[in-house]
Amino acid sequence: MSLLVPDTGLLFWMIFSFGIVFFILVKFGFPVITKAVEKRNQFIESSLEAACQAREQLAAVNTQAEVILQEARSKRNTILNEAQEIRNKMLNEAREAAETEARFKIDRAHAEIEESRNKAIISIRDEVTGISVKIAEKVLGERLQSDEKQRALINRLLDDELVSNA
């Protein structure tokens, strides 16, 4: 009995054992393995189909997202333009209101200056009239008849003098 060449009895039992194992595998093992391989193939095919559908849906979503993004940009630009117009309008209104207020204050200041000037002229005129009456009384040495007539005369003379000097 050599190690490289088996005996015929051993060869028979090896072939017989192999046949029984092969029969059991063909009867019970291979159908289960085949079913598992087929299920795996179906799972892979369905996964590939789902991946293709997901890719198509992703492309559709990307297209929709781009459309929505364009609309959002358009709305943003519209809102910014409207805000710029409102800002310019408010600035113009504020500028006009400030100019109107400034004109009003300047006119009021001119009126106050004119009123103060007139009051000053009247005050100076009254003082000059009073001084003139006192000087005239001292020069004449007596009191003139009516203060009102004297004041009217002096005012008339002052007006004539102011008109001739102007």
Side-chain angles (χ1 to χ4, degrees):
M1 176 154 144
S2 101
L3 291 174
L4 296 176
V5 179
D7 280 338
T8 54
L10 180 63
L11 191 60
F12 170 75
W13 286 111
M14 285 174 55
I15 292 174
F16 182 71
S17 300
F18 178 75
I20 291 174
V21 169
F22 186 74
F23 175 76
I24 292 173
L25 282 176
V26 168
K27 186 75 174 168
F28 299 107
F30 288 143
V32 171
I33 293 172
T34 308
K35 285 181 185 178
V37 169
E38 287 177 11
K39 284 183 182 178
R40 181 74 176 156
N41 282 340
Q42 289 175 353
F43 176 74
I44 291 172
E45 287 178 15
S46 66
S47 295
L48 288 174
E49 288 177 17
C52 288
Q53 290 176 353
R55 187 178 301 130
E56 291 172 0
Q57 289 176 352
L58 182 62
V61 167
N62 283 340
T63 304
Q64 289 176 347
E66 189 64 33
V67 168
I68 291 171
L69 188 61
Q70 290 295 334
E71 289 175 2
R73 286 180 184 147
S74 174
K75 287 180 182 179
R76 179 199 64 193
N77 290 338
T78 303
I79 290 170
L80 287 175
N81 289 338
E82 289 175 0
Q84 184 71 21
E85 289 175 9
I86 291 171
R87 178 186 156 269
N88 290 338
K89 184 178 178 182
M90 289 175 68
L91 285 175
N92 289 337
E93 289 174 357
R95 187 177 300 120
E96 289 173 3
E99 288 174 0
T100 303
E101 181 74 19
R103 271 188 251 119
F104 174 74
K105 287 183 179 182
I106 289 171
D107 291 344
R108 190 173 61 192
H110 284 299
E112 288 175 2
I113 291 170
E114 186 66 27
E115 184 180 331
S116 296
R117 185 178 150 267
N118 289 337
K119 285 180 181 178
I121 290 174
I122 291 170
S123 174
I124 292 172
R125 189 178 264 187
D126 287 343
E127 286 183 32
V128 169
T129 304
I131 293 171
S132 297
V133 168
K134 287 180 185 178
I135 292 172
E137 285 178 351
K138 287 183 182 180
V139 169
L140 296 175
E142 63 182 67
R143 189 169 175 90
L144 296 174
Q145 294 176 357
S146 164
D147 281 343
E148 288 184 26
K149 288 183 182 178
Q150 294 171 17
R151 289 184 188 278
L153 175 64
I154 291 171
N155 282 333
R156 187 169 25 97
L157 293 173
L158 280 174
D159 287 338
D160 290 342
E161 188 63 31
L162 288 175
V163 169
S164 66
N165 285 338

